[in-house]
Amino acid sequence: MAFKYQWKWAEDPSKLNKVELLKLNRDGLDILDDIERLAAAGHEALTDDDLQLLKWAGIYAQRPKEDGFFMMRIRVPSGVLNSRQAREVARISREYGRSLVDVTTRQCFQLHWVRIENCPEIFKRLAEVALYTYEACGDCPRNIVGNPLAGIDPHELIDTRPIVEAVQNAIWMNREFSNLPRKYKISISANIYNAAHAEINDLAFTPATKMIDGEEVVGFHVWVGGGLSSKPHMARQLDMFVRPEEVVKVAVGVTRVFRDYGYREKRHRARLKFLVADWGVEKFQEVLEGYIGKFPGRGEDKIVGWNAGYFTGVHRQKQEGLYYVGLSVPVGRMSADELEGLAELADKYGNGSLRTCNTQNILITHVPENKVEALLAEPLLKRITPFPKTFSGHAVSCTGIEFCNLALTETKERMRKIVAYLDERIPLDVPIRLHINGCPNSCGQQQIADIGLQGALVKTPEGMKEAFDIAIGGKLGPGATFNTKLKGRVPAVYVPYVLEALIAFYRDERQEGEDFHAFVRRVGVDAFQAKLDEVLAETVSG
Amino acid sequence: MAEAGWYLYRLEARLNDGRLVTVVVAAANEEKAFQYAESHLERDLVFRSHVAELSLVEKKSLHPGVGYAVVTAEV
Ligand code: HEM
Ligand code: SF4
């Protein structure tokens, strides 16, 4: 409570939106003191303001709102998890969440069907295994995404786990930062293949080196102002080299700039990206230096490519003789039994360590060479497989209409069917990443997909039907671009055939070693538009 | 305060002559949103037969200040 009413922006409340006024009166973290009371009173007694602030407790009303169920997001910083934690999430899901567990695009777990009445018990049990839902939603520092291979990665400059932990300790559950203008997403990774999607976060640290006093120092470059939603922005790099031990200082500084200068008048212009776009990076850095002092200029970027966050298969760790096994979780959804099973396997074959990925997948790590084969033979790995077919192994889906109030279409089941069809019909030797969203908000990160699908509804003589906009050619890492939307909304039933035709176009016309993104760049979006027009004319008339 | 259970919907109508029209309506559900949008189109703009495709592309919870900014023409 210490900061209540002291904020600079509180001086002129006429410039504040409704949520800002609420947050001044009652900090998001205050809701945690009310959980017992709210649980005892039950769903009926929850006010609109309670529902708003419950986001800071990591719970969000599930569709339909009147039914009193919540989705619950559990933070997993950098995706680092142990079997005890995974087992507890599985059990909670079984007891309170109808046995459903989703892995999200920011390495969290998301449960559904949770009731407010059960939250005190759930929070207590999660805390016993050091897991938290607090500030997993709301206008505050969200889960820190990171390299899921931190500490075991042959392609990382340094182990980022202690840094992620230090940043989390500095800004999470801290009333200095619990009232930000809007959600605030941090990414920290030293993986040279940009495993933590730096460009689409509000603040990102990426691997770099710099010669200082004749010595090569390993550290980070800093990016600010990225984010997706209906108006995507790529983060922009500051002219700054940061040593590992100074990451906390910079993270705290950037967060203070956002807190103090971020826009609080209109919520749709509140993300850090709007401030960065208005100021430009030079001014942003100047203001930042007012908080944290000057830093050495940029060094050498060490990101050499983009692995898109995929690690399926069996791979060597940097520790001699140890392997990690990357498993594909179809559209990020598993059952409580499956998650508990994975925890068992992590104990039996590894050292009990698991990692969640921003591609909605999961890894089992620290498997000695002589146990790999037995692990691969486990029945659970038939569905949650390290060797998925091309399309099903590269598919990401948002929550969609099953639970989301803003969705226009169903997503996960649709995607499952689409990739099953494509894997059957058009086997490919290179991955094409498909992402699907049920509305323009981009929880399923459709803008970074090779092929993104965005849901809409169209009126037909038979009533409302689901349809999708198709966008092609997204990519992060060197040459990062968001994908481009093609004209022509495709009725859902035709989506598999249309995608088959677009992918066949790539397969037949590509050059040796050319991936989908490079192909789109070479032939141009117009060539795909022509292809789409042709296919739509055929499918609609035929 | 939020109007319980109501949404502000954004729809796109593609007309036979190629124009794209944005229609914004408040409604309690998607079916209603389509109905209201159709009547607005008919009342304000064109005959039903001139609409080649009508789609609903976004919804937001209804409360004071909620709205959409839409590109109408490149200058
Ligand atoms: C108010 C409108 C919303 C907007 C603008 C929005 C936008 C986003 C965006 C841009 C991401 C991030 C992807 C990334 O940066 O990595 C995200 C994540 C996510 N959103 Fe939403 N979202 C909204 C509401 C919802 C709702 C209602 C649900 C479901 C009931 C939902 C479920 C998710 C999930 C599961 C993730 C991954 C989360 C994580 O691990 O942090 N979102 N959202
Ligand atoms: S993208 Fe839209 S439909 Fe999908 S979960 Fe996010 S808000 Fe819901």
Side-chain angles (χ1 to χ4, degrees), chain A residues 180-194:
Chain A
L180 298 177
R182 198 80 168 75
K183 60 168 100 165
Y184 180 63
K185 298 179 175 179
I186 301 179
S187 154
I188 302 173
S189 161
N191 173 281
I192 60 172
Y193 296 106
N194 195 24

Side-chain angles (χ1 to χ4, degrees), chain A residues 53-279:
Chain A
L53 294 182
L54 279 168
K55 294 174 186 171
W56 276 253
I59 67 172
Y60 202 113
Q62 168 177 317
R63 177 180 186 275
K65 278 182 187 159
E66 311 75 69
D67 288 5
F69 292 104
F70 289 88
M71 57 165 234
M72 170 180 280
R73 201 174 283 160
I74 302 167
R75 303 167 70 101
V76 187
S78 202
V80 176
L81 194 73
N82 62 46
S83 55
R84 253 186 93 212
Q85 295 173 315
R87 210 170 276 122
E88 196 55 41
V89 171
R91 287 177 186 155
I92 290 170
S93 152
R94 189 179 295 125
E95 286 167 54
Y96 302 110
R98 302 195 186 177
S99 286
L100 219 60
V101 184
D102 285 347
V103 182
T104 76
T105 48
R106 296 194 79 255
Q107 295 176 296
C108 294
F109 282 119
Q110 193 161 296
L111 309 184
H112 297 279
W113 302 110
V114 173
R115 298 203 68 100
I116 185 74
E117 292 82 346
N118 299 320
C119 283
E121 169 71 10
I122 295 174
F123 293 162
K124 193 173 117 250
R125 284 173 56 177
L126 286 173
E128 280 164 12
V129 293
L131 282 178
Y132 302 91
T133 62
Y134 311 143
E135 298 193 304
C137 309
D139 301 342
C140 47
R142 302 289 189 87
N143 187 45
I144 299 175
V145 297
N147 179 9
L149 301 181
I152 64 171
D153 185 0
H155 303 296
E156 72 183 351
L157 296 197
I158 50 168
D159 178 358
T160 37
R161 284 174 302 177
I163 300 172
V164 168
E165 198 182 328
V167 172
Q168 153 116 345
N169 290 340
I171 65 173
W172 175 66
M173 293 292 282
N174 178 344
R175 282 169 188 271
E176 201 193 327
F177 303 118
S178 54
N179 178 358
L180 298 177
R182 198 80 168 75
K183 60 168 100 165
Y184 180 63
K185 298 179 175 179
I186 301 179
S187 154
I188 302 173
S189 161
N191 173 281
I192 60 172
Y193 296 106
N194 195 24
H197 298 181
E199 301 90 335
I200 58 171
N201 284 271
D202 294 278
L203 167 63
F205 293 89
T206 59
T209 58
K210 188 174 169 85
M211 292 302 289
I212 299 179
D213 301 331
E215 215 185 308
E216 185 178 72
V217 180
V218 169
F220 297 90
H221 282 161
V222 185
W223 305 64
V224 293
L228 295 176
S229 303
S230 48
K231 195 156 180 0
H233 286 239
M234 293 284 181
R236 298 179 56 197
Q237 204 180 63
L238 300 180
D239 184 12
M240 186 181 264
F241 176 82
V242 181
R243 293 171 186 266
E245 59 276 19
E246 298 202 293
V247 169
V248 168
K249 184 174 176 187
V250 174
V252 166
V254 171
T255 313
R256 285 191 177 135
V257 173
F258 180 44
R259 179 196 65 199
D260 295 345
Y261 294 94
Y263 302 131
R264 293 175 185 266
E265 195 171 344
K266 300 193 183 82
R267 282 189 66 74
H268 68 268
R269 268 181 57 79
R271 286 281 299 268
L272 181 62
K273 60 190 177 185
F274 295 98
L275 186 67
V276 173
D278 287 353
W279 279 4

Side-chain angles (χ1 to χ4, degrees), chain A residues 263-445:
Chain A
Y263 302 131
R264 293 175 185 266
E265 195 171 344
K266 300 193 183 82
R267 282 189 66 74
H268 68 268
R269 268 181 57 79
R271 286 281 299 268
L272 181 62
K273 60 190 177 185
F274 295 98
L275 186 67
V276 173
D278 287 353
W279 279 4
V281 272
E282 292 77 17
K283 173 164 180 197
F284 189 92
Q285 181 155 345
E286 247 175 67
V287 176
L288 175 63
E289 284 168 355
Y291 285 77
I292 62 173
K294 279 223 176 291
F295 272 66
R298 195 183 282 132
E300 192 182 333
D301 259 315
K302 286 294 171 183
I303 288 193
V304 299
W306 187 43
N307 58 23
Y310 285 100
F311 304 96
T312 37
V314 180
H315 307 274
R316 275 176 207 283
Q317 295 185 188
K318 76 176 165 198
Q319 293 83 3
E320 185 64 32
L322 291 180
Y323 289 76
Y324 69 89
V325 179
L327 302 171
S328 176
V329 181
V331 291
R333 177 159 296 172
M334 54 191 156
S335 68
D337 288 351
E338 285 175 329
L339 180 57
E340 192 161 40
L342 292 175
E344 300 298 324
L345 298 183
D347 282 336
K348 186 168 169 195
Y349 296 100
N351 69 353
S353 138
L354 301 121
R355 305 288 174 91
T356 50
C357 305
N358 56 11
T359 44
Q360 307 180 319
N361 295 313
I362 203 157
L363 319 175
I364 292 177
T365 71
H366 296 83
V367 183
E369 187 159 10
N370 62 5
K371 288 189 175 174
V372 169
E373 209 170 315
L375 169 57
L376 296 182
E378 286 283 348
L380 179 54
L381 269 53
K382 282 207 161 53
R383 194 182 89 84
I384 315 273
T385 172
F387 308 114
K389 292 189 174 145
T390 311
F391 290 100
S392 69
H394 296 89
V396 169
S397 170
C398 82
T399 304
I401 206 159
E402 198 182 357
F403 302 116
C404 172
N405 286 300
L406 302 179
L408 303 174
T409 65
E410 197 281 321
T411 51
K412 288 198 187 258
E413 212 34 55
R414 169 85 51 202
M415 183 59 116
R416 241 193 261 270
K417 287 188 186 135
I418 291 172
V419 294
Y421 176 85
L422 293 174
D423 277 322
E424 178 74 31
R425 297 280 302 197
I426 186 160
L428 264 192
D429 47 353
V430 290
I432 292 187
R433 299 171 298 104
L434 302 181
H435 289 223
I436 188 168
N437 279 340
C439 83
N441 283 329
S442 319
C443 309
Q445 306 172 327

Side-chain angles (χ1 to χ4, degrees), chain A residues 405 408 456-459 489, chain B residues 12 38 54-57 59:
Chain A
N405 286 300
L408 303 174
L457 289 169
V458 290
K459 183 78 197 251
R489 205 151 275 144
Chain B
E12 281 177 6
E38 281 184 325
L54 180 60
S55 12
L56 195 164
V57 292
K59 71 190 267 201

Side-chain angles (χ1 to χ4, degrees), chain A residues 477-491:
Chain A
T481 36
F482 292 125
N483 53 23
T484 309
K485 183 147 83 168
L486 300 177
K487 292 192 199 75
R489 205 151 275 144
V490 182

